[in-house]
Short mmCIF file of all heavy atoms in Angstrom, two decimals:
data_model
loop_
_atom_site.label_atom_id
_atom_site.label_comp_id
_atom_site.label_asym_id
_atom_site.label_seq_id
_atom_site.Cartn_x
_atom_site.Cartn_y
_atom_site.Cartn_z
N SER A 1 27.54 63.34 70.81
CA SER A 1 27.43 62.12 70.00
C SER A 1 26.77 61.00 70.80
O SER A 1 25.96 60.23 70.27
CB SER A 1 28.81 61.69 69.50
OG SER A 1 29.67 61.37 70.57
N ILE A 2 27.09 60.90 72.10
CA ILE A 2 26.44 59.89 72.93
C ILE A 2 24.94 60.18 73.04
O ILE A 2 24.10 59.27 72.96
CB ILE A 2 27.09 59.84 74.33
CG1 ILE A 2 28.51 59.29 74.23
CG2 ILE A 2 26.27 58.98 75.28
CD1 ILE A 2 29.29 59.39 75.53
N GLY A 3 24.59 61.45 73.25
CA GLY A 3 23.18 61.81 73.34
C GLY A 3 22.42 61.48 72.07
O GLY A 3 21.31 60.92 72.12
N LEU A 4 23.00 61.81 70.92
CA LEU A 4 22.36 61.47 69.65
C LEU A 4 22.25 59.96 69.48
O LEU A 4 21.23 59.45 69.00
CB LEU A 4 23.16 62.07 68.50
CG LEU A 4 23.09 63.58 68.32
CD1 LEU A 4 24.13 64.05 67.31
CD2 LEU A 4 21.70 64.02 67.89
N HIS A 5 23.30 59.24 69.87
CA HIS A 5 23.30 57.79 69.73
C HIS A 5 22.21 57.17 70.60
O HIS A 5 21.48 56.26 70.16
CB HIS A 5 24.67 57.24 70.13
CG HIS A 5 24.95 55.88 69.61
ND1 HIS A 5 25.21 55.62 68.28
CD2 HIS A 5 25.01 54.66 70.23
CE1 HIS A 5 25.42 54.33 68.10
NE2 HIS A 5 25.30 53.73 69.28
N LEU A 6 22.09 57.64 71.83
CA LEU A 6 21.05 57.13 72.72
C LEU A 6 19.65 57.37 72.16
O LEU A 6 18.80 56.48 72.16
CB LEU A 6 21.18 57.79 74.09
CG LEU A 6 22.34 57.32 74.97
CD1 LEU A 6 22.45 58.20 76.21
CD2 LEU A 6 22.16 55.87 75.39
N LEU A 7 19.42 58.59 71.67
CA LEU A 7 18.11 58.91 71.11
C LEU A 7 17.79 58.04 69.91
O LEU A 7 16.65 57.54 69.77
CB LEU A 7 18.06 60.39 70.73
CG LEU A 7 16.76 60.89 70.12
CD1 LEU A 7 15.60 60.68 71.07
CD2 LEU A 7 16.88 62.36 69.73
N ALA A 8 18.77 57.83 69.02
CA ALA A 8 18.54 57.01 67.84
C ALA A 8 18.27 55.56 68.22
O ALA A 8 17.35 54.92 67.68
CB ALA A 8 19.75 57.11 66.91
N VAL A 9 19.04 55.03 69.15
CA VAL A 9 18.85 53.64 69.57
C VAL A 9 17.49 53.47 70.24
O VAL A 9 16.77 52.50 69.99
CB VAL A 9 19.98 53.21 70.52
CG1 VAL A 9 19.66 51.86 71.16
CG2 VAL A 9 21.30 53.13 69.76
N VAL A 10 17.13 54.43 71.09
CA VAL A 10 15.85 54.35 71.78
C VAL A 10 14.69 54.36 70.78
O VAL A 10 13.76 53.55 70.86
CB VAL A 10 15.72 55.51 72.79
CG1 VAL A 10 14.27 55.71 73.20
CG2 VAL A 10 16.58 55.24 74.01
N ALA A 11 14.74 55.28 69.81
CA ALA A 11 13.65 55.39 68.84
C ALA A 11 13.57 54.15 67.95
O ALA A 11 12.46 53.67 67.65
CB ALA A 11 13.84 56.65 68.00
N TRP A 12 14.72 53.63 67.54
CA TRP A 12 14.72 52.50 66.61
C TRP A 12 14.51 51.18 67.34
O TRP A 12 13.55 50.44 67.06
CB TRP A 12 16.05 52.49 65.85
CG TRP A 12 16.11 51.51 64.72
CD1 TRP A 12 15.07 50.77 64.20
CD2 TRP A 12 17.26 51.16 63.96
NE1 TRP A 12 15.51 49.99 63.17
CE2 TRP A 12 16.84 50.21 62.99
CE3 TRP A 12 18.59 51.56 63.98
CZ2 TRP A 12 17.74 49.65 62.08
CZ3 TRP A 12 19.48 51.00 63.07
CH2 TRP A 12 19.05 50.06 62.13
N LEU A 13 15.38 50.88 68.31
CA LEU A 13 15.26 49.62 69.03
C LEU A 13 13.95 49.54 69.78
O LEU A 13 13.20 48.56 69.67
CB LEU A 13 16.43 49.46 69.99
CG LEU A 13 16.26 48.39 71.07
CD1 LEU A 13 16.18 47.01 70.44
CD2 LEU A 13 17.40 48.44 72.07
N GLY A 14 13.66 50.57 70.58
CA GLY A 14 12.42 50.55 71.33
C GLY A 14 11.21 50.47 70.43
O GLY A 14 10.24 49.76 70.73
N GLY A 15 11.27 51.18 69.28
CA GLY A 15 10.15 51.12 68.34
C GLY A 15 9.94 49.73 67.78
O GLY A 15 8.80 49.27 67.63
N ILE A 16 11.03 49.02 67.48
CA ILE A 16 10.91 47.66 66.95
C ILE A 16 10.26 46.74 67.98
O ILE A 16 9.37 45.94 67.66
CB ILE A 16 12.30 47.14 66.54
CG1 ILE A 16 12.80 47.88 65.30
CG2 ILE A 16 12.26 45.63 66.29
CD1 ILE A 16 14.22 47.54 64.92
N ILE A 17 10.71 46.86 69.23
CA ILE A 17 10.15 45.99 70.28
C ILE A 17 8.67 46.31 70.51
O ILE A 17 7.84 45.40 70.66
CB ILE A 17 10.96 46.14 71.58
CG1 ILE A 17 12.38 45.64 71.36
CG2 ILE A 17 10.29 45.39 72.72
CD1 ILE A 17 13.28 45.80 72.56
N VAL A 18 8.33 47.59 70.53
CA VAL A 18 6.93 47.97 70.72
C VAL A 18 6.09 47.46 69.55
O VAL A 18 4.98 46.94 69.75
CB VAL A 18 6.79 49.49 70.88
CG1 VAL A 18 5.32 49.90 70.91
CG2 VAL A 18 7.48 49.95 72.15
N MET A 19 6.59 47.59 68.32
CA MET A 19 5.86 47.07 67.17
C MET A 19 5.68 45.56 67.29
O MET A 19 4.62 45.02 66.93
CB MET A 19 6.62 47.41 65.88
CG MET A 19 6.68 48.89 65.55
SD MET A 19 5.14 49.58 64.92
CE MET A 19 5.16 48.94 63.25
N ALA A 20 6.70 44.87 67.79
CA ALA A 20 6.58 43.42 67.97
C ALA A 20 5.53 43.08 69.02
O ALA A 20 4.73 42.16 68.85
CB ALA A 20 7.94 42.83 68.34
N LEU A 21 5.54 43.83 70.13
CA LEU A 21 4.55 43.58 71.18
C LEU A 21 3.14 43.91 70.71
O LEU A 21 2.16 43.33 71.21
CB LEU A 21 4.90 44.40 72.43
CG LEU A 21 6.21 44.04 73.13
CD1 LEU A 21 6.48 45.00 74.27
CD2 LEU A 21 6.17 42.60 73.64
N LEU A 22 3.02 44.84 69.77
CA LEU A 22 1.71 45.23 69.25
C LEU A 22 1.29 44.43 68.02
O LEU A 22 0.28 44.75 67.39
CB LEU A 22 1.71 46.72 68.89
CG LEU A 22 1.82 47.71 70.05
CD1 LEU A 22 1.99 49.13 69.52
CD2 LEU A 22 0.58 47.64 70.93
N ALA A 23 2.07 43.42 67.68
CA ALA A 23 1.81 42.69 66.44
C ALA A 23 0.37 42.17 66.32
O ALA A 23 -0.27 42.34 65.27
CB ALA A 23 2.80 41.53 66.31
N PRO A 24 -0.21 41.55 67.36
CA PRO A 24 -1.60 41.08 67.21
C PRO A 24 -2.58 42.21 66.96
O PRO A 24 -3.57 42.04 66.24
CB PRO A 24 -1.88 40.39 68.56
CG PRO A 24 -0.55 40.00 69.07
CD PRO A 24 0.37 41.10 68.64
N GLN A 25 -2.35 43.38 67.57
CA GLN A 25 -3.25 44.52 67.36
C GLN A 25 -3.06 45.14 65.97
O GLN A 25 -4.00 45.65 65.37
CB GLN A 25 -3.02 45.59 68.43
CG GLN A 25 -3.59 45.25 69.80
CD GLN A 25 -2.76 44.20 70.52
OE1 GLN A 25 -1.55 44.13 70.34
NE2 GLN A 25 -3.42 43.41 71.34
N LEU A 26 -1.84 45.08 65.46
CA LEU A 26 -1.57 45.66 64.14
C LEU A 26 -2.06 44.77 63.01
O LEU A 26 -2.49 45.26 61.96
CB LEU A 26 -0.07 45.90 63.98
CG LEU A 26 0.51 47.08 64.77
CD1 LEU A 26 2.03 47.03 64.77
CD2 LEU A 26 0.04 48.40 64.18
N THR A 27 -2.00 43.47 63.21
CA THR A 27 -2.43 42.55 62.17
C THR A 27 -3.92 42.71 61.89
O THR A 27 -4.74 42.75 62.79
CB THR A 27 -2.15 41.10 62.61
OG1 THR A 27 -0.77 40.96 62.89
CG2 THR A 27 -2.54 40.12 61.51
N GLY A 28 -4.26 42.82 60.63
CA GLY A 28 -5.65 42.97 60.24
C GLY A 28 -6.11 44.40 60.09
O GLY A 28 -7.20 44.64 59.57
N ARG A 29 -5.32 45.37 60.53
CA ARG A 29 -5.71 46.77 60.35
C ARG A 29 -5.54 47.18 58.89
O ARG A 29 -4.55 46.85 58.24
CB ARG A 29 -4.86 47.68 61.24
CG ARG A 29 -5.16 47.59 62.73
CD ARG A 29 -4.29 48.56 63.51
NE ARG A 29 -4.59 49.94 63.19
CZ ARG A 29 -5.22 50.77 64.00
NH1 ARG A 29 -5.66 50.34 65.17
NH2 ARG A 29 -5.44 52.02 63.65
N GLU A 30 -6.50 47.93 58.40
CA GLU A 30 -6.42 48.39 57.02
C GLU A 30 -5.33 49.45 56.84
O GLU A 30 -4.85 49.65 55.73
CB GLU A 30 -7.77 48.97 56.58
CG GLU A 30 -8.88 47.92 56.50
CD GLU A 30 -10.17 48.50 55.97
OE1 GLU A 30 -10.16 49.70 55.61
OE2 GLU A 30 -11.17 47.78 55.93
N ASP A 31 -4.96 50.12 57.93
CA ASP A 31 -3.94 51.15 57.82
C ASP A 31 -2.57 50.63 58.24
O ASP A 31 -1.68 51.42 58.59
CB ASP A 31 -4.31 52.36 58.68
CG ASP A 31 -4.52 52.01 60.14
OD1 ASP A 31 -4.56 50.80 60.46
OD2 ASP A 31 -4.67 52.93 60.96
N LEU A 32 -2.37 49.31 58.23
CA LEU A 32 -1.09 48.73 58.65
C LEU A 32 0.06 49.28 57.81
O LEU A 32 1.11 49.67 58.35
CB LEU A 32 -1.14 47.21 58.55
CG LEU A 32 0.18 46.48 58.81
CD1 LEU A 32 0.65 46.73 60.24
CD2 LEU A 32 0.04 44.98 58.55
N ALA A 33 -0.11 49.33 56.49
CA ALA A 33 0.97 49.80 55.62
C ALA A 33 1.32 51.25 55.92
O ALA A 33 2.49 51.64 55.90
CB ALA A 33 0.57 49.63 54.16
N VAL A 34 0.30 52.06 56.20
CA VAL A 34 0.55 53.47 56.51
C VAL A 34 1.34 53.61 57.80
O VAL A 34 2.32 54.36 57.88
CB VAL A 34 -0.79 54.24 56.62
CG1 VAL A 34 -0.55 55.67 57.07
CG2 VAL A 34 -1.52 54.22 55.28
N LEU A 35 0.93 52.86 58.83
CA LEU A 35 1.61 52.95 60.12
C LEU A 35 3.04 52.43 60.03
O LEU A 35 3.97 53.03 60.58
CB LEU A 35 0.84 52.16 61.18
CG LEU A 35 -0.61 52.62 61.43
CD1 LEU A 35 -1.24 51.78 62.53
CD2 LEU A 35 -0.66 54.09 61.80
#
């Protein structure tokens, strides 16, 4: 359960932070909705 929890937190939390850091690169892309 700890292993699953770590993987879920890493994928979700880390993904949110990476998306936030990539915000200027993502803005204006035509495939933004798809990504």
Side-chain angles (χ1 to χ4, degrees):
S1 62
I2 292 172
L4 288 170
H5 200 72
L6 286 172
L7 179 59
V9 170
V10 163
W12 189 9
L13 164 65
I16 290 173
I17 295 177
V18 173
M19 294 285 284
L21 295 176
L22 292 173
Q25 285 74 31
L26 286 168
T27 302
R29 289 182 65 108
E30 294 184 3
D31 57 351
L32 174 62
V34 174
L35 300 181

